[in-house]
Amino acid sequence: MSQSRVGLEAIAFDVPSYSLDLAELAQARGIDPLKYTRGLGQLEMAVPAAEEDSVVLAVGAGKRLLKQFNADASSIGLLIVGTETSVDQSKPVSSYVHQLLGLSPECRVYETKHACYGAMAGVQTATDWVLSGRAHGKKALVIASDIARYGIATPGEPTQGAGAVALLISSEPTLVEFETERQGYYAEQVMDFWRPNYSKEAFADGHFSIQCYLKALARSFEMFVGDRSRFMPTLDSISACLYHAPFPKMMQKAHLSLLSCARGTELEQGSPAYEQGVADFQRRVAPFLELNSRVGNIYTASLFLALFDLLEKSTSAQEGSRISLFSYGSGCTAEFMTARVLSGAGERVRTGFSSKTLLEARTRIGVQEYEELFNASGRMDRDGSFNPDRKVPEAVTRQRDVAFLGVKDHQRQYLTYSSPQAY
Ligand code: CAA
């Protein structure tokens, strides 16, 4: 029997064990720190240990979700991991995650990729699966997991980051209900950002990528608005606007661009309308960028980290209100959708979990250590990197109970251990 409701029942995230202050990075690169902290809006970035790959981060987010929402692992009939930090050309990240989370064998399991859109593709598939009635009461676990790497001293370096966000989607949402009457999506082949199979680091035509993002936002929104004779939520009815967040300042560009689209005229810099737009950004977007500004770009997970931030901060005053979500995947494809925050969502997310505690638990490192870790992570994917005597740093074992130990006989090796402080 087809279902009429679909949305989020649970959400949790994981971040790497180390962080770097971006003002320190700027100083080391001979750049004015204000360029990073104000110009890009980025305060810190997450730095993964060599033992933290996209599998480990996805498992960390999934375990936290199962534990904190007391979710039944046997009820999960679909596991999708959205990532552009794949560990294999064939074997998906999701196979390792399925095993390490102890999910049922009666589960569809696969990985989705389209740059930062990968997890949104998973969310849309899970939504359709639930609505079709073919889930038969089972739930979908969609995990967005990524490690953003551009390289030392590149323009993209201050926009690196890493982490994972897990989302439990079902016909009995308790946090957010998706509005499925309308969607807006867009695609065009462009070379704005890519990561070839031979490179762990991404290549980006940075300023062009910003233009591609804004064009895709405008075109997705136009399709979303489409035929106004049907149900159409106006921008005024939206209490918070969430966007894919490569760096927080991009959200201001995106929001002003969306307001221009809705008005049908450009907001001219310095005009009263432009200043109103900036104030609107401060009200409807900026409050939910705190986590992103301390974690950095997590590619496909960054939109959902902003969603976590919003839910964790939500009070009864915001509950019942409409929010919008915009996903952009370079290359490119994009999607604009709306959802409603459900009553009691903030309380449920805050129970037993605090993003602040998780972020504060990270070990702060300096630029030299970050560079060493960056190079060490690069070497871990090579065959022969496995060392059975490898001592996993305490900073990592504190965070979660799984670590990547390297590659042996062309097979990835993961270690699980008991970690009293994790989750
Ligand atoms: N004080 C305050 N602000 C300063 C400053 C200072 N001293 N110096 C510079 N700035 C401001 C600039 O004015 C600029 O702001 P505006 O864009 O609002 O004018 C901002 O800081 C950045 O300066 P530049 O544009 O000169 O920076 P850059 O050329 O070195 O690189 C970047 C910026 C292109 C975003 C680069 O970091 C990059 O290539 N990043 C990776 C690509 C990316 O993130 N693209 C985003 C869209 S694509 C996408 O979203 C998918 C994805 O996840 C990758």
Side-chain angles (χ1 to χ4, degrees):
M1 206 175 66
S2 65
Q3 300 290 326
S4 57
R5 297 186 71 210
V6 63
L8 270 193
E9 231 188 86
I11 184 168
F13 74 91
D14 194 18
V15 285
S17 308
Y18 300 108
S19 69
L20 174 67
D21 188 304
L22 280 202
E24 265 183 57
L25 179 65
Q27 268 153 8
R29 301 289 175 252
I31 286 172
D32 179 355
L34 289 178
K35 175 175 176 184
Y36 291 175
T37 56
R38 285 215 197 132
L40 299 174
Q42 200 63 52
L43 305 180
E44 296 166 22
M45 76 183 188
V47 180
E51 296 81 5
E52 293 172 319
D53 67 356
S54 52
V55 171
V56 166
L57 295 170
V59 172
K63 285 204 170 186
R64 215 160 255 134
L65 179 146
L66 293 173
K67 171 112 191 281
Q68 277 151 14
F69 286 83
N70 204 14
D72 174 11
S74 69
S75 70
I76 293 165
L78 175 63
L79 169 69
I80 302 175
V81 177
T83 186
E84 56 184 299
T85 317
S86 198
V87 296
D88 193 290
Q89 297 261 32
S90 171
K91 193 176 172 73
V93 166
S94 51
S95 288
Y96 297 105
V97 174
H98 178 255
Q99 181 201 23
L100 291 163
L101 288 182
L103 301 187
S104 158
E106 288 182 8
C107 189
R108 273 204 192 111
V109 174
Y110 54 90
E111 177 183 306
T112 49
K113 180 183 77 177
H114 187 139
C116 306
Y117 178 81
M120 178 57 102
V123 167
Q124 294 302 330
T125 305
T127 298
D128 291 343
W129 180 63
V130 168
L131 288 181
S132 73
R134 299 212 313 148
H136 303 296
K138 294 230 171 186
K139 301 171 188 195
L141 180 61
V142 178
I143 308 183
S145 180
D146 265 322
I147 299 173
R149 279 172 73 96
Y150 293 94
I152 308 245
T154 59
E157 185 181 38
T159 67
Q160 295 177 139
V165 182
L167 310 160
L168 189 65
I169 295 172
S170 80
S171 59
E172 292 170 345
T174 52
L175 302 179
V176 167
E177 182 165 350
F178 301 150
E179 294 188 315
T180 53
E181 293 93 332
R182 276 186 183 262
Q183 287 117 41
Y185 37 85
Y186 177 75
E188 183 182 356
Q189 201 289 104
V190 286
M191 290 304 286
D192 63 331
F193 166 102
W194 63 103
R195 184 146 54 161
N197 286 341
Y198 53 78
S199 174
K200 267 182 92 72
E201 282 77 54
F203 296 88
D205 188 343
H207 292 278
F208 177 57
S209 72
I210 293 172
Q211 295 315 313
C212 293
Y213 179 121
L214 295 178
K215 180 179 175 190
L217 170 62
R219 297 293 291 271
S220 308
F221 183 64
E222 276 166 22
M223 179 182 165
F224 178 85
V225 173
D227 170 10
R228 286 170 196 257
S229 63
R230 292 191 296 127
F231 155 78
M232 169 53 203
T234 61
L235 260 196
D236 290 344
S237 75
I238 296 174
S239 66
C241 304
L242 306 181
Y243 301 91
H244 164 57
F247 51 91
K249 182 74 171 292
M250 182 72 219
M251 280 47 275
Q252 183 173 327
K253 294 179 196 293
H255 193 62
L256 293 176
S257 182
L258 189 75
L259 295 178
S260 299
C261 281
R263 281 163 48 107
T265 53
E266 200 68 25
L267 296 177
E268 255 180 67
Q269 206 157 349
S271 67
Y274 182 90
E275 294 311 322
Q276 277 167 17
V278 173
D280 194 65
F281 163 78
Q282 291 300 342
R283 187 171 61 83
R284 288 200 276 182
V285 188
F288 317 114
L289 288 174
E290 205 179 320
L291 298 179
N292 296 78
S293 74
R294 298 189 58 196
V295 173
N297 193 358
I298 340 176
Y299 291 154
T300 195
S302 75
L303 169 67
F304 302 106
L305 189 64
L307 176 61
F308 184 96
D309 201 350
L310 176 140
L311 290 173
E312 192 181 32
K313 287 179 176 143
S314 88
T315 60
S316 52
Q318 284 114 22
E319 287 164 5
S321 72
R322 174 173 288 129
I323 60 173
S324 65
L325 295 102
F326 173 69
S327 170
Y328 175 73
S330 286
C332 73
T333 197
E335 181 127 10
F336 188 92
M337 64 175 278
T338 56
R340 272 194 189 275
V341 178
L342 296 172
S343 166
E347 194 60 40
R348 268 189 283 279
V349 170
R350 286 188 293 272
T351 303
F353 185 82
S354 148
S355 61
K356 193 160 178 257
T357 310
L358 187 58
L359 294 193
E360 300 295 308
R362 299 182 298 178
T363 303
R364 218 170 153 138
I365 53 172
V367 175
Q368 194 187 332
E369 271 173 292
Y370 142 68
E371 290 182 1
E372 284 165 10
L373 284 172
F374 185 93
N375 293 326
S377 295
R379 289 192 296 268
M380 281 292 269
D381 274 344
R382 297 183 199 150
D383 189 38
S385 62
F386 174 67
N387 172 4
D389 301 324
R390 186 184 190 91
K391 180 150 175 20
V392 181
E394 201 261 326
V396 177
T397 56
R398 224 186 312 135
Q399 196 87 343
R400 68 189 83 70
D401 57 7
V402 58
F404 171 51
L405 291 194
V407 184
K408 180 186 167 200
D409 298 334
H410 304 287
Q411 297 177 24
R412 298 180 86 77
Q413 308 293 320
Y414 291 94
L415 173 73
T416 51
Y417 40 83
S418 86
S419 174
Q421 290 171 64
Y423 319 116

